[in-house]
């Protein structure tokens, strides 16, 4: 059943899901995040050209990231989500109603690629976590180049986003902040896009990154 969510027609990205994602992200999940972190005002929003379509690519730090990136950037984003999130009822409902679509990390189906490409025909943006899984070890690594290839196919620039988590000596909770970098042109090569993204996000999120890190295709 979960596999059917890898194919999402354009009509899925309608007013209902747009409103649902806004309410879920801004009124519910962002407030849940505030119980765990001190949410600092986002920076770099001036780097977003609201007239353009982007592939939003950030580091992955918490389970709230897809929703809170959308809320902080004030964007409607369709995220690629691991197929396992569509295998339990309530998780499937949340992913479905927020416009996410399933991807099998072991073998990306052609329908998943078609869905990603169709996002450009809507008012939504495509969201991808190049790392695939959450990391809070202070390092940026184990990321794929698939997001760069997708951006080139969509003819959409990459919007790098850093999720910065740091200790707050005056609070029991850590601070979390969403920082937007300058867009990366999709006209560059896949290798150039990937390297520019890694360099930018590592700065935004204060993560350790070495250019010698081996990225996975």
């Amino acid at each position: 059943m979960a596999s059917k969510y890898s194919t999402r027609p354009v009509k899925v990205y309608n007013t209902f899901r747009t409103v649902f994602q806004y309410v879920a992200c801004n009124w519910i999940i962002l407030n849940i995040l505030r119980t765990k972190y001190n949410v600092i005002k986002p920076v770099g929003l001036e780097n977003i050209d609201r007239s353009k379509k982007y592939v939003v690519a950030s580091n992955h730090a918490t389970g709230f990231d897809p929703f809170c990136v959308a809320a902080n950037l004030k964007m409607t984003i369709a995220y690629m989500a691991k197929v396992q999130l569509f295998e339990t009822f309530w998780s499937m409902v949340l992913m479905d109603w927020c416009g996410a679509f399933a991807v099998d990390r072991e073998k990306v189906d052609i329908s998943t690629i078609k869905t990603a490409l169709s996002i450009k025909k809507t008012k939504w943006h495509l969201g991808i976590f190049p790392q695939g899984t959450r990391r809070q070890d202070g390092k940026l690594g184990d990321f794929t180049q698939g997001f760069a290839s997708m951006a080139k196919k969509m003819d959409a620039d990459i919007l790098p986003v850093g999720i910065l988590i740091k200790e707050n000596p005056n609070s029991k909770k850590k601070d979390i902040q969403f920082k937007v970098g300058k867009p990366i042109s999709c006209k560059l090569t896949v290798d150039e896009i990937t390297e520019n993204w890694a360099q930018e996000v590592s700065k935004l999120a204060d993560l350790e990154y070495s250019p010698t890190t081996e990225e996975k295709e």
Side-chain angles (χ1 to χ4, degrees), residues 71-85:
N72 277 269
L73 271 59
K74 298 178 174 55
M75 298 171 74
T76 310
I77 304 173
Y79 270 97
M80 277 186 169
K82 62 182 181 181
V83 70
Q84 289 82 359
L85 291 174

Side-chain angles (χ1 to χ4, degrees), residues 103-166:
V103 58
D104 186 338
R105 292 175 183 167
E106 299 300 319
K107 184 180 180 181
V108 179
D109 191 271
I110 187 64
S111 61
T112 299
I113 297 174
K114 288 182 178 179
T115 297
L117 295 176
S118 72
I119 299 298
K120 192 174 181 182
K121 300 176 184 178
T122 74
K123 294 181 180 180
W124 294 48
H125 303 270
L126 175 64
I128 301 177
F129 293 109
Q131 291 173 293
T133 190
R134 298 187 295 273
R135 293 187 65 156
Q136 284 196 27
D137 59 0
K139 298 179 180 180
L140 181 70
D142 296 327
F143 51 86
T144 71
Q145 293 186 320
F147 74 103
S149 298
M150 189 64 68
K152 292 186 71 65
K153 289 177 181 177
M154 291 179 66
D155 192 28
D157 292 345
I158 295 285
L159 190 66
V161 178
I163 302 173
L164 174 63
I165 297 177
K166 60 183 179 181

